[in-house]
Amino acid sequence: MEKVVFTTGGTGGHIYPALSIAKKIREKNIDTLFIGTKHRMEKDIVPRENFRFIGLDILPLRSLKSIFKMIAATISTIKLLKKEKPTKIIAFGNYITIPVLVASNVLKIPYYLQEQNHTMGQANKWFYKGAKKVFIAFGNTLDRIKDKYKNKFVVTGNPLREEFYGKERQEERRKLNIKDDERVILVIGGSLGAKNINEAILKKWKTITEDKRIRLFWATGKDNYEASTCKIKEFGTAVVEPYFENVPELMTAADIVICRAGASTISELIQLEKPSILIPYDFVGQKENADVLEYVNGAKIFTNETAENAVDEALSIVRQASMLEFMSENVKSLKKGNSAEIIVKEMGL
Ligand SMILES: CC(=O)N[C@H]1[C@@H](OP(=O)(O)OP(=O)(O)OC[C@H]2O[C@@H](n3ccc(=O)[nH]c3=O)[C@H](O)[C@@H]2O)O[C@H](CO)[C@@H](O)[C@@H]1O
């Protein structure tokens, strides 16, 4: 009997790909268990989807205390896995996956990795040599891998929520009451929001809302809603929320998306063939993710410092139907199949 342990957590970008694979596995009546931290988003998101979840007490490796916690968590994970007896393990990057990956090496349980970003993260770099297979989103991640390990890697794209497949633009626009001549701009930060994008939208608020043909959907991030909206007196037709639960619907309806360049967001734009204005978050390899889209002329990249120009550019492009079509066609060239289905098959499940 197969039983698969998933280890993931931290941000939506790590959790949603795991969930989409887990749902495919559950359809096959295979038992699953999620292991993450008890401190971050996974502790809410995973049980809400009715998966069994265990939260470890671990922190990012930045202090002596966090190293001790990591060692203690690893020891308890070894005990846990001895009891649970999984046949396969899959990890989705970052420090949260370390205890399970060390335990699977100790107990010799075969493990798989999934890397969402163009540039591999540190945890995946440490563990890929012992993995059975590594599922990557973007082909050029392989450029930095030694030849002798390349045969472990499979380019699958990022697993997306099932709702990103099979949606139809006109239908979603109808449900949102969007008229044919209206242009939809969707603004999302990462799963935690994006302060610089919010500030730029606020500065350009008058210009955006003056144009009656523009429909704005803007997620500020859960912690930034008050600060981002307290000065707004008139919302007009704009829909402003801390977080959108219906991004698949909104992105399908959108003409252009202003966003960060987290890996899942980039893959969602590719799946829905959307033109975008990208403002990558520094430090975590988002620029390289953004380059994938810009390279094919499917997106334009701006920085935190030029975020206001980014909004101007979005307003200009969204009024040019031919430009939207050109960018959308280019994005389409990057499309892959249903990544979660491919990964389940590659895992032999
Ligand atoms: C700050 C940080 O460390 N960011 C990293 C984090 O991104 P983070 O989780 O922020 O970003 P991603 O783009 O990968 O994922 C965000 C997910 O949240 C969803 N969403 C977002 C806003 C909203 O209102 N509603 C909603 O559902 C998006 O549709 C997407 O599915 O993990 C990613 C995957 O390893 C990395 O590429 C990012 O660099």
Side-chain angles (χ1 to χ4, degrees):
M1 276 283 276
E2 296 273 15
K3 178 173 187 175
V4 184
V5 162
F6 286 73
T7 179
T8 188
T11 63
H14 291 93
I15 303 163
Y16 290 132
L19 282 173
S20 63
I21 297 171
K23 285 181 185 168
K24 296 264 175 236
I25 290 180
R26 182 162 60 188
E27 281 167 17
K28 293 174 180 279
N29 289 325
I30 294 170
D31 200 7
T32 60
L33 168 66
F34 274 75
I35 303 178
T37 72
K38 60 179 185 184
H39 304 293
R40 303 193 63 180
M41 291 168 94
E42 63 273 19
K43 72 176 183 356
D44 303 315
I45 297 182
V46 174
R48 210 164 53 214
E49 297 286 348
N50 294 321
F51 286 100
R52 198 154 64 93
F53 175 79
I54 292 176
L56 303 171
D57 181 15
I58 47 173
L59 300 167
L61 285 171
R62 287 189 199 125
S63 64
L64 208 53
K65 185 177 152 203
S66 64
I67 294 171
F68 283 126
K69 277 187 187 287
M70 188 66 80
I71 294 169
T74 304
I75 293 167
S76 65
T77 305
I78 293 173
K79 284 187 200 147
L80 175 73
L81 294 188
K82 272 187 180 162
K83 195 172 107 222
E84 292 283 339
K85 298 190 176 35
T87 52
K88 284 172 182 151
I89 286 172
I90 179 161
F92 295 80
N94 92 20
Y95 70 95
I96 293 166
T97 64
I98 293 174
V100 174
L101 287 173
V102 173
S104 58
N105 273 294
V106 172
L107 301 173
K108 308 232 172 332
I109 304 165
Y111 67 88
Y112 300 78
L113 302 178
Q114 197 262 330
E115 174 58 61
Q116 303 93 46
N117 294 285
H118 173 275
T119 305
M120 225 180 354
Q122 191 55 55
N124 280 352
K125 273 190 197 151
W126 280 335
F127 288 97
Y128 78 82
K129 290 177 188 162
K132 272 196 81 83
K133 284 182 189 171
V134 187
F135 305 118
I136 52 175
F138 307 110
N140 18 16
T141 302
L142 279 171
D143 296 349
R144 295 194 200 157
I145 304 295
K146 283 197 188 127
D147 280 346
K148 64 174 172 175
Y149 295 114
K150 279 192 175 145
N151 63 353
K152 284 181 187 285
F153 286 70
V154 190
V155 186
T156 60
N158 272 315
L160 304 178
R161 283 172 274 176
E162 204 53 37
E163 293 84 348
F164 279 98
Y165 300 93
K167 291 247 176 311
E168 206 269 313
R169 181 172 179 270
Q170 287 308 335
E171 173 68 6
E172 297 308 323
R173 288 171 74 97
R174 194 186 56 72
K175 285 193 215 151
L176 292 162
N177 285 324
I178 292 158
K179 299 193 195 89
D180 285 350
D181 64 342
E182 287 180 323
R183 294 276 170 261
V184 177
I185 302 182
L186 171 65
V187 182
I188 47 173
S191 53
L192 310 174
K195 199 163 156 274
N196 302 82
I197 298 182
N198 291 342
E199 285 168 2
I201 295 290
L202 204 53
K203 288 217 173 100
K204 294 282 166 189
W205 184 255
K206 202 161 165 277
T207 324
I208 299 170
T209 48
E210 253 170 17
D211 186 338
K212 297 299 168 218
R213 282 177 313 145
I214 300 264
R215 294 286 300 270
L216 177 73
F217 291 84
W218 171 25
T220 60
K222 284 181 178 145
D223 297 335
N224 299 324
Y225 183 78
E226 267 309 303
S228 306
T229 56
C230 61
K231 289 191 192 137
I232 299 174
K233 294 198 182 72
E234 191 52 66
F235 282 85
T237 60
V239 178
V240 189
E241 302 273 348
Y243 190 80
F244 288 129
E245 295 294 347
N246 59 341
V247 167
E249 286 81 3
L250 293 175
M251 204 184 271
T252 304
D255 292 291
I256 197 162
V257 184
I258 303 176
C259 56
R260 287 277 191 227
S264 290
T265 305
I266 295 287
S267 299
E268 290 159 8
L269 291 167
I270 293 172
Q271 172 57 29
L272 297 179
E273 306 165 13
K274 290 295 158 180
S276 59
I277 299 292
L278 302 172
I279 306 164
Y281 177 67
D282 312 330
F283 315 122
V284 286
Q286 289 198 356
K287 171 70 172 60
E288 288 78 0
N289 293 343
D291 286 343
V292 173
L293 280 180
E294 198 192 45
Y295 187 72
V296 297
N297 287 319
K300 296 206 175 177
I301 303 179
F302 289 80
T303 61
N304 280 338
E305 292 68 37
T306 58
E308 276 183 63
N309 302 347
V311 179
D312 284 335
E313 183 71 3
L315 286 167
S316 159
I317 293 177
V318 87
R319 294 180 181 121
Q320 303 171 52
S322 59
M323 185 64 169
L324 290 173
E325 204 174 307
F326 170 74
M327 291 174 79
S328 171
E329 277 299 314
N330 295 334
V331 176
K332 199 172 166 183
S333 68
L334 297 169
K335 228 163 144 172
K336 300 261 173 347
N338 184 319
S339 164
E341 279 172 9
I342 299 169
I343 290 174
V344 171
K345 218 179 259 169
E346 289 281 344
M347 288 175 76
L349 295 168

